[in-house]
Amino acid sequence: MEIAALILWILTALGGVTMLGMWLSRGGARQGGTTHLPVPVIFGHFALAAVGLLAWIFYVVTDAKALAWTALILLLLVAVLGFTMLARWLQVRRAKAAVAAGQPDTAASAPPESHFPVAIVGGHGVLAVATLVLVLLSTLAG
């Protein structure tokens, strides 16, 4: 189960890094930009997920339970930040749908996160939930 959690966590990270790259390439971190995702939340989510993944890797290698609990706690914080970003992204998607329905808007004012493919956002979320469940079960079982 620990290995399955690790594989899912890595796949989840790939989706997250893909979205981070899209967001950055469209000016998401620029001051005064149009993003609806707070820069500290984005980078906090990324940093906590990366540190948690490293803790989980070291746990899998060493079987040190303290590392499993550390990874789980970090993953819970990552989830809170992730749900915060999801809520904001959904607002952007609704606004984009309204624009597609004929309301005026300019492409220049579109926030960077409006370009995230729904499949990547959804896949990232589903993998993240599955990762959290496996990490939780693995930690409690050990």
Side-chain angles (χ1 to χ4, degrees), residues 3 8 19 21 25 56 63 71 110 112:
I3 300 297
L8 284 178
M19 288 186 288
S25 71
W56 191 255
D63 201 33

Side-chain angles (χ1 to χ4, degrees), residues 13-141:
L14 291 174
V17 167
T18 300
M19 288 186 288
L20 179 62
M22 289 177 183
W23 184 77
L24 289 170
S25 71
R26 298 200 180 261
R30 289 191 199 124
Q31 207 167 19
T34 59
T35 186
H36 294 232
L37 303 177
V39 173
V41 172
I42 292 254
F43 287 114
H45 180 78
F46 173 76
L48 290 171
V51 171
L53 177 56
L54 288 174
W56 191 255
I57 290 169
F58 288 126
Y59 161 66
V60 169
V61 171
T62 65
D63 201 33
K65 283 299 174 190
L67 289 172
W69 284 103
T70 299
L72 176 60
I73 291 166
L74 289 171
L75 196 52
L76 290 170
L77 294 171
V78 169
V80 169
L81 295 176
F83 280 117
T84 300
M85 290 187 293
L86 176 63
R88 289 177 172 246
W89 179 79
L90 287 171
Q91 291 173 344
V92 169
R93 287 294 297 174
R94 285 188 199 109
K96 187 176 181 179
V99 168
Q103 295 180 4
D105 189 39
T106 62
S109 67
E113 59 274 11
S114 69
H115 303 282
F116 292 166
V118 174
I120 293 178
V121 174
H124 180 72
V126 168
L127 288 171
V129 169
T131 301
L132 180 58
V133 168
L134 283 180
V135 167
L136 174 65
L137 292 175
S138 295
T139 302
L140 293 175

